[in-house]
Amino acid sequence: MKTKDVVKLYEDYVLPTYAQIPVCLVKGKGAKVWDLEGKEYLDFFPGWAVSGLGHCHPKVVSAIKEQSRKILHISNNFLNLTQARLAERIVKESFPGRVFFCNSGAEAVEGAIKFARKFGSESGRYEIITMKNAFHGRTLAALTATGQKKYLEGFEPIPEGFKQAEFNNINSVKKMIGPKTIAVLLEPIQGEGGIHVADGDFLKELRKICREKKMLLILDEVQSGMGRTGKMFAYQHYNVEPDLMTLAKSLGSGVPIGALVVNNKVKNVLTPGMHASTFGGNPLVARAALAVFDVIKNERLLKNTQDMGDYLSTHLERLRHKFSFIKEVRGRGLMKGVELNISGKPIVDECRAFGLLINVTQDKVLRILPPMTVTKKQIDWAMGILEHAMLTITNTI
Ligand SMILES: *Cc1c(COP(=O)(O)O)cnc(C)c1O
């Protein structure tokens, strides 16, 4: 089988919902992946920020192996030891509260939206304020929370009760708060929106307003959570705690798992029967996520993420001085965005040709999210390729 045969299978049998790159990845180890023809790539955007520990981390693989010999799935009507232990672990790493498990980021956000509405139902409040340029997933309510017209067109009618304020503009949020507002939902670092980092004052002020008005502060950490920014959760940079937090992407470093974490003040809002997910937190994925927490701790990956994040910044700043089409370098830890004043796709394609996988979002922002296990040597290698790609592009514009 060759890549072109896989392309044909897709053409014949898979719904074309993705803009697809004609590369078939079949093997991964750490920061490296290989395609069907055996070409090697350095992966600085592993699995759309899912494989946070890199591909096939041996501890995650052996946890999955071990668990798969015992039991893969049980219904959530029975007690699940791995799920209970994972919930304990998440709470101990974040804030006193309770956890609901699901399978994806959108599902975690959807859970947060239902939770907020239920919380507001007694006082007749249901409106949720979200931010421009946000991304919260593709289910109908999460998509409405995302609020980008291009994603919503043709899918109307959309759910009611969402308003959009400007990110990092507290007055814009204040103006939207009305008698029906129940929550503010945002990403501490906007990922798909182009790696925009929330200002400390903005988050602190949001926290204060939500407390005063008995509204919920919901932080979507689906992309920024699980060590990505150098702290376990991005909000921990701010001395601000959310009421609700959503997790997914690298929570299982490769297996599909999402979570909604709710603080103790509101933990009694949902009672048995009000919300559910058949696969949510099953023994297999919960066991993988437990291994992820262990690896982050035992291999001191938060420290490595901070150090390698700084190291990567130095490289990117050097490139910014060299290439006039680089506008700005942003981000925290190993969640970096490089804003260009030209389209980023040719650079991403050029990088891939030379064996480096990165991403572009919002047309002009290169997104670089290497695994938390990345080394200096790998960063040097990757930045060599990026520089080369940028030089090539310079010669063609
Ligand atoms: C990716 C993402 C989602 C959606 O996650 P899915 O698993 O694709 O449903 C939600 N919120 C944020 C911040 C994300 O980055």
Side-chain angles (χ1 to χ4, degrees):
M1 177 110 12
K2 288 266 168 45
T3 296
K4 67 169 179 19
D5 304 315
V6 185
V7 169
K8 181 79 171 57
L9 280 176
Y10 265 87
E11 280 168 5
D12 291 348
Y13 299 109
V14 184
L15 265 184
T17 61
Y18 301 96
Q20 221 151 25
I21 302 154
V23 172
C24 180
L25 301 175
V26 291
K27 206 175 92 171
K29 191 169 175 26
K32 289 179 181 169
V33 282
W34 290 267
D35 72 13
L36 200 49
E37 277 78 22
K39 177 170 172 176
E40 182 179 298
Y41 302 85
L42 205 44
D43 193 355
F44 273 33
F45 196 62
W48 209 271
V50 163
S51 309
L53 307 184
H55 294 277
C56 296
H57 191 286
K59 288 278 167 16
V60 177
V61 170
S62 60
I64 292 172
K65 266 194 200 161
E66 210 178 279
Q67 186 59 46
S68 69
R69 290 195 198 103
K70 292 182 186 160
I71 193 162
L72 291 173
H73 180 81
I74 55 180
S75 105
N76 276 314
N77 298 114
F78 290 98
L79 300 176
N80 169 347
L81 175 64
T82 55
Q83 179 180 121
R85 283 176 55 216
L86 177 59
E88 176 190 34
R89 193 65 181 265
I90 292 173
V91 165
K92 290 205 163 145
E93 293 285 351
S94 56
F95 45 84
R98 298 286 186 275
V99 186
F100 171 83
F101 289 101
C102 53
N103 312 292
S104 68
E107 202 187 347
V109 170
E110 201 78 26
I113 293 168
K114 277 182 73 180
F115 191 98
R117 285 195 174 182
K118 186 74 189 150
F119 175 73
S121 62
E122 271 179 21
S123 52
R125 298 183 292 169
Y126 57 86
E127 249 170 35
I128 298 175
I129 297 175
T130 67
M131 302 296 140
K132 292 201 171 120
N133 256 324
F135 187 82
H136 299 295
R138 300 293 195 129
T139 57
L140 269 178
L143 200 54
T144 309
T146 292
Q148 296 186 37
K149 274 210 182 70
K150 63 173 178 184
Y151 293 141
L152 286 165
E153 245 164 85
F155 296 110
E156 302 86 353
I158 58 174
E160 286 174 45
F162 293 89
K163 282 186 170 174
Q164 284 210 303
E166 290 199 17
F167 192 67
N168 278 339
N169 180 341
I170 197 70
N171 286 328
S172 157
V173 180
K174 279 183 182 163
K175 267 189 228 150
M176 288 195 177
I177 298 174
K180 300 250 179 281
T181 313
I182 192 58
V184 178
L185 161 64
L186 75 157
E187 300 149 86
I189 301 184
Q190 293 188 325
E192 311 301 311
I195 313 293
H196 295 284
V197 183
D199 294 338
D201 290 346
F202 178 63
L203 268 194
K204 284 202 184 76
E205 196 64 20
L206 282 182
R207 178 64 281 179
K208 192 165 142 253
I209 294 170
C210 286
R211 191 172 294 121
E212 284 167 4
K213 301 204 180 277
K214 294 198 165 40
M215 292 167 11
L216 301 173
L217 178 63
I218 308 172
L219 290 183
D220 183 348
E221 294 247 16
V222 166
Q223 193 164 145
S224 58
M226 298 308 293
R228 176 51 60 196
T229 65
K231 300 245 188 216
M232 191 59 87
F233 307 108
Y235 78 80
Q236 292 167 337
H237 291 282
Y238 293 91
N239 205 15
V240 161
E241 260 179 25
D243 298 301
L244 273 64
M245 168 172 76
T246 54
L247 298 174
K249 292 213 165 88
S250 69
L251 176 55
S253 197
V255 299
I257 178 168
L260 170 64
V261 193
V262 167
N263 81 16
N264 273 340
K265 275 178 269 164
V266 287
K267 69 180 181 197
N268 294 324
V269 168
L270 295 183
T271 55
M274 284 182 183
H275 195 51
S277 179
T278 299
F279 293 112
N282 86 11
L284 185 77
V285 295
R287 185 67 192 81
L290 273 169
V292 172
F293 278 104
D294 286 343
V295 170
I296 291 175
K297 183 158 178 270
N298 296 340
E299 298 185 13
R300 299 173 196 278
L301 292 185
L302 295 180
K303 176 82 167 64
N304 193 59
T305 300
Q306 291 161 12
D307 294 348
M308 291 305 107
D310 291 346
Y311 189 66
L312 181 57
S313 285
T314 313
H315 263 295
L316 294 172
E317 285 297 341
R318 183 178 60 77
L319 293 180
R320 185 173 67 84
H321 286 107
K322 178 159 179 176
F323 297 101
S324 59
F325 56 74
I326 302 183
K327 230 171 108 182
E328 196 182 20
V329 175
R330 296 190 290 263
R332 259 203 161 117
L334 288 171
M335 188 169 182
K336 293 281 195 267
V338 180
E339 183 162 346
L340 314 172
N341 46 37
I342 56 171
S343 173
K345 189 174 176 298
I347 295 178
V348 170
D349 290 344
E350 200 64 27
C351 282
R352 189 172 62 252
F354 287 100
L356 171 68
L357 304 182
I358 58 170
N359 172 262
V360 56
T361 185
Q362 304 292 319
D363 184 42
K364 292 192 165 89
V365 184
L366 301 179
R367 194 159 36 153
I368 305 177
L369 281 78
M372 294 168 68
T373 49
V374 76
T375 62
K376 266 190 178 174
K377 225 173 121 191
Q378 289 167 335
I379 291 177
D380 289 341
W381 186 254
M383 290 302 104
I385 295 176
L386 181 61
E387 183 168 358
H388 182 82
M390 286 178 166
L391 273 174
T392 312
I393 294 304
T394 315
N395 293 336
T396 61
I397 53 177

